[in-house]
Amino acid sequence: MAVVDISWFSLGIAFMLLIIPVVLSRIYKLKLLRPLFYSVSRMCVQLVLVGFFLKFLFSANNLFLNLLWLGAMILVAVWSAVRSFSLKMSKVLVPVFLSFSLSTFGIVLFINIWVVRLDFVFDARYLIILGGMLLGNSLRGNIIGIASFYNSIKKDDKRFKYVLALGASLNEAALPYLQESMVLALKPTLAAMATMGIVALPGMMTGVILGGASPLVAIKYQIMIMLAIVVSTMLSVFLTIIITRKICFSGLGILRQDVFVGR
Amino acid sequence: MGGIYMLKLKEVSLIYGRKEVFSGISLEIKKGDKIVISGSSGCGKTSLFGLILGFVFPAEGRILFENEVVNPQNIWALRRKIAYVDQDASLGAGRVEDWFGFIFSLQANRKLGIKQEDLIPLFDYFELDKEILEERIENLSGGQRQRLALITAAILKREFFLLDEPTSFLDNRLKKKTAEFFMKLPQTLIVASHDSTWQNYLEKVFSMEKRKWL
């Protein structure tokens, strides 16, 4: 069974669902109309563009183009991650890019070579789609983990210095914060994994089933992607902390004020 | 030879942002000296300790620790010769037992092979129940945390005690007991305190405000 295509006209019918929020907002003055239409329009424009772009990318399926696009995706993810860390872009962009690239690219290649066993391991369909899923999750993990790492050290300034003064190395003094941040960063993924299939059918699995595959194929893909997500998130958070730490602490073991934004 | 000086500060001044914290501090401390740094709060006693511990660099002047200028390369080894008690006894959160476990597990302390039983005589002296090991630091009083910080400093057997207002949360009797405890030890001792208890026990008092020995 192949996927049932939706005509553009039929898709228009889906928009009729929006009558419900419109009516509700009118009656109860929910102040949701503007944000709703803003988000719906953005989603439509972005997805239509991506749709055409991916169609082109898939039909070309060119090694260089695929890698270039994955690189661009990584760059955007890194950009938004770093912005949320309140670290200076110029100081950490390259190291965080390295961390994301290694954890995304490495895991996707592993999957493509050893699990899916593709003939062309840089196949756009797999490289870009799997890469995107890993990146999205790494981004979320990093935003939580890195912010927690630096904010807790800043908040705990006195204890941090006290421990250094008692002869801890930078690694030793930072270890409790690293542990705490990794747990925080991984928590959403672990919780999602633990309830998967019971609370909700995950998006990718739904997609594969709607695409016409057997549910058994779908769960195999889902398990594979979750393993990839949890490992790449963990790896990227860990690498980002380890790499940025070299830049964010002075030789005296103190957070450098000049790498943080707005200080 | 001139190797007898543990610590020398030469015309040291410190600036935070644009504000001068202090200037022109010169201080020489010999091995085994026991001194008090006095001065009202805000005069820079804690900042002076920050300089000695290498958390900040002086704007002017030089700091020599065992005749070596303090720099990012040697500061890590120097800190391992110091037993520091910070002003607020910032032990963080978690169980007391885990605090000691963490400190004993640091590479600098591992070779000492300290065991939890070794803490008992110190707990007795500072009048803490050993059941406190099971408690959470966040539930302790300032005085309890302060005594735990003093015990931490004492058990590490370092060459040099650097105590910042170490008895501010303690009553007079415990203050005296604490001062007596550290007076008996052979190590070098610098106490920052505006408390007269320490000044009664220690012969040398350096005034931050007057920038000289009293």
Side-chain angles (χ1 to χ4, degrees):
Chain A
M1 191 187 92
V3 64
V4 181
D5 193 10
I6 308 173
S7 69
W8 290 102
F9 174 75
S10 308
L11 183 63
I13 294 179
F15 278 84
M16 282 169 62
L17 285 172
L18 290 177
I19 293 175
I20 297 170
V22 169
V23 169
L24 276 179
S25 301
R26 272 289 152 85
I27 299 175
Y28 293 100
K29 299 191 169 49
L30 292 181
K31 294 180 180 162
L32 273 173
L33 275 187
R34 259 170 170 278
L36 183 72
F37 276 97
Y38 175 74
S39 302
V40 168
S41 335
R42 266 196 72 160
M43 170 187 75
C44 291
V45 173
Q46 284 162 203
L47 286 185
V48 166
L49 289 177
V50 162
F52 281 110
F53 184 69
L54 286 181
K55 194 171 178 232
F56 157 73
L57 219 53
F58 288 179
S59 61
N61 209 8
N62 171 287
L63 167 69
F64 178 72
L65 268 184
N66 294 351
L67 288 179
L68 193 70
W69 182 238
L70 183 64
M73 281 163 53
I74 295 176
L75 192 65
V76 173
V78 169
W79 188 273
S80 35
V82 172
R83 264 182 35 182
S84 81
F85 302 161
S86 60
L87 288 170
K88 281 193 185 146
M89 198 66 78
S90 57
K91 308 258 183 194
V92 296
L93 186 66
V94 174
V96 179
F97 185 80
L98 273 177
S99 143
F100 273 50
S101 303
L102 213 73
S103 52
T104 305
F105 200 61
I107 304 280
V108 171
L109 276 190
F110 177 90
I111 295 277
N112 288 358
I113 296 172
W114 301 104
V115 184
V116 188
R117 293 174 185 272
L118 295 174
D119 291 330
F120 177 43
V121 295
F122 299 102
D123 190 290
R125 211 171 275 266
Y126 287 86
L127 186 75
I128 287 164
I129 302 305
L130 293 181
M133 291 188 78
L134 300 192
L135 266 179
N137 283 278
S138 291
L139 174 61
R140 183 177 63 177
N142 270 267
I143 288 176
I144 303 172
I146 310 313
S148 145
F149 182 73
Y150 288 107
N151 289 342
S152 342
I153 290 179
K154 258 191 235 169
K155 207 179 78 199
D156 253 10
D157 181 57
K158 280 183 176 166
R159 182 184 189 268
F160 192 77
K161 284 181 181 161
Y162 181 31
V163 171
L164 286 178
L166 288 173
S169 67
L170 183 54
N171 275 339
E172 290 172 324
L175 184 64
Y177 304 94
L178 174 75
Q179 293 165 335
E180 191 188 289
S181 308
M182 297 283 296
V183 169
L184 271 181
L186 265 298
K187 239 183 193 167
T189 310
L190 294 177
M193 273 170 91
T195 55
M196 200 147 276
I198 301 174
V199 177
L201 284 184
M204 189 202 194
M205 195 172 146
T206 328
V208 175
I209 294 174
L210 284 178
S214 142
L216 287 182
V217 176
I219 58 146
K220 281 190 271 182
Y221 266 87
Q222 188 61 39
I223 291 172
M224 173 191 86
I225 192 73
M226 286 316 292
L227 293 175
I229 283 175
V230 81
V231 176
S232 76
T233 305
M234 188 168 163
L235 194 61
S236 65
V237 175
F238 179 75
L239 286 176
T240 308
I241 290 181
I242 297 297
I243 300 178
T244 55
R245 207 178 59 185
K246 294 249 179 293
I247 301 163
C248 295
F249 286 91
S250 71
L252 302 170
I254 301 298
L255 275 183
R256 289 171 47 163
Q257 299 298 319
D258 60 335
V259 295
F260 291 92
V261 177
R263 248 146 269 270
Chain B
M1 205 174 107
I4 47 166
Y5 286 108
M6 186 96 195
L7 185 69
K8 264 189 196 178
L9 278 76
K10 291 183 177 170
E11 290 291 320
V12 170
S13 59
L14 179 65
I15 296 171
Y16 268 139
R18 287 193 182 153
K19 196 174 152 269
E20 185 183 273
V21 184
F22 51 71
S23 64
I25 298 279
S26 293
L27 195 57
E28 290 178 342
I29 293 157
K30 292 186 189 132
K31 233 184 177 90
D33 270 357
K34 292 185 165 47
I35 72 150
V36 185
I37 309 247
S38 79
S40 54
S41 58
C43 70
K45 299 194 293 285
T46 299
S47 305
L48 183 71
F49 280 12
L51 274 173
I52 296 172
L53 290 164
F55 293 137
V56 273
F57 270 128
E60 276 171 51
R62 289 206 303 170
I63 299 175
L64 290 104
F65 196 104
E66 292 180 336
N67 293 331
E68 270 183 88
V69 177
V70 175
N71 62 47
Q73 282 71 48
N74 64 19
I75 189 61
W76 300 90
L78 297 182
R79 285 178 189 153
R80 293 176 176 192
K81 297 181 176 177
I82 298 174
Y84 173 60
V85 169
D86 94 315
Q87 199 173 16
D88 305 292
S90 316
L91 310 182
R95 276 155 33 112
V96 172
E97 196 173 37
D98 297 336
W99 162 257
F100 283 109
F102 175 61
I103 295 301
F104 298 162
S105 75
L106 298 179
Q107 185 140 40
N109 304 328
R110 233 174 283 161
K111 60 183 181 301
L112 296 174
I114 309 169
K115 291 181 290 294
Q116 217 177 66
E117 303 92 88
D118 304 333
L119 290 167
I120 304 302
L122 288 166
F123 274 43
D124 289 342
Y125 186 86
F126 286 99
E127 304 180 17
L128 287 173
D129 248 349
K130 68 173 190 300
E131 274 74 49
I132 205 172
L133 283 167
E134 309 281 323
E135 287 190 45
R136 296 193 66 84
I137 296 164
E138 11 348 349
N139 299 335
L140 302 180
S141 70
Q144 286 171 313
R145 278 190 289 122
Q146 198 152 50
R147 279 176 280 167
L148 290 172
L150 287 162
I151 290 170
T152 308
I155 202 156
L156 295 182
K157 306 200 169 59
R158 302 279 174 82
E159 297 169 34
F160 185 10
F161 286 109
L162 205 57
L163 315 182
D164 190 0
E165 297 287 359
T167 48
S168 53
F169 299 129
L170 304 183
D171 63 29
N172 276 329
R173 197 176 54 80
L174 273 169
K175 271 180 193 166
K176 283 182 190 155
K177 250 183 126 172
T178 305
E180 279 162 15
F181 178 87
F182 284 96
M183 284 306 293
K184 280 190 206 130
L185 296 176
Q187 286 102 317
T188 314
L189 171 68
I190 302 185
V191 183
S193 178
H194 57 265
D195 195 310
S196 59
T197 313
W198 287 98
Q199 299 181 16
N200 294 338
Y201 279 93
L202 304 183
E203 61 270 33
K204 292 172 84 180
V205 179
F206 184 86
S207 160
M208 282 297 283
E209 278 131 350
K210 295 180 181 151
R211 296 179 209 164
K212 63 175 191 184
W213 296 101
L214 296 182

